[in-house]
Amino acid sequence: MLGLLATTVVAVLVAVLGWATPAAAHHVLPPGIPSTAAAQSQLNSLTVRPKGSGAGYDRSLFPHWVIVQGTCDAREYVLRRDGHTVQVDGSCRATSGRWSSEYDGVWTGNASEFDIDHMVPLSDAWRSGADTWTTAKRRDFANDVNSPQLWAVSASSNRSKGDRDPSQWMPPRTAIHCSYVKSWVNVKYRYGLSVTSAEKSSIQNTINTRC
């Protein structure tokens, strides 16, 4: 009887207040993820070559997080864009809300527990062609809120990924694998970055088996 009552109360709260358990709430993906057919075409067009040595790389060569809208820097913008019932203060800092990490299925109500991951890591971009870019282009790349380059994810999953490409690391949550590799391909395509043969092969296998 008590179990039935509790279930009824939760149902009422969901209906009246719009509350939902993490399992029931919808997941929010970044914009610009291409269709499978488009991602395949983009993958086919990428230049295949070994990665550069990484000589000269420094994260400061990719200025972030910069203001992208109003008082919101790119991190704050993504937290507001991809969260649920997010409230912000006058400086655009999230004061409440809920966020889901697509990489591992983790949910949080504390924005400080989440990182904003660069889908294509800055160091990978450097070794794939960004070493020849202007600082302005690297700044745009590091703060691109209009493509699938920036993802709000758990700090642990972001740090597990590090600067590894899809041939070296994939999210533990397999349900996101298709969207993950399509996003990776799209970012490299948008910015004219290269892929290695192992990277391309791994992405192709994921498209074939997960999409």
Side-chain angles (χ1 to χ4, degrees), residues 37-126:
Q40 182 66 68
S41 177
Q42 291 169 8
L43 178 62
N44 293 343
S45 73
L46 296 180
T47 298
V48 178
R49 65 173 177 83
K51 289 179 183 174
S53 67
Y57 169 73
D58 191 283
R59 283 180 66 85
S60 65
L61 296 171
F62 294 78
H64 64 288
W65 305 106
V66 303
I67 298 297
V68 295
Q69 183 185 76
T71 60
C72 301
D73 67 26
R75 172 184 164 81
E76 294 156 348
Y77 181 95
V78 172
L79 287 170
R80 188 177 63 174
R81 181 192 71 188
D82 297 346
H84 300 261
T85 62
V86 178
Q87 299 295 317
V88 299
D89 62 19
S91 298
C92 201
R93 290 185 294 266
T95 56
S96 64
R98 292 187 301 131
W99 294 267
S100 64
S101 170
E102 293 300 315
Y103 292 177
D104 53 8
V106 169
W107 284 79
T108 187
N110 182 356
S112 67
E113 295 178 351
F114 268 31
D115 288 348
I116 303 302
D117 176 49
H118 290 98
M119 170 55 61
V120 174
L122 305 183
S123 62
D124 183 280
W126 180 267

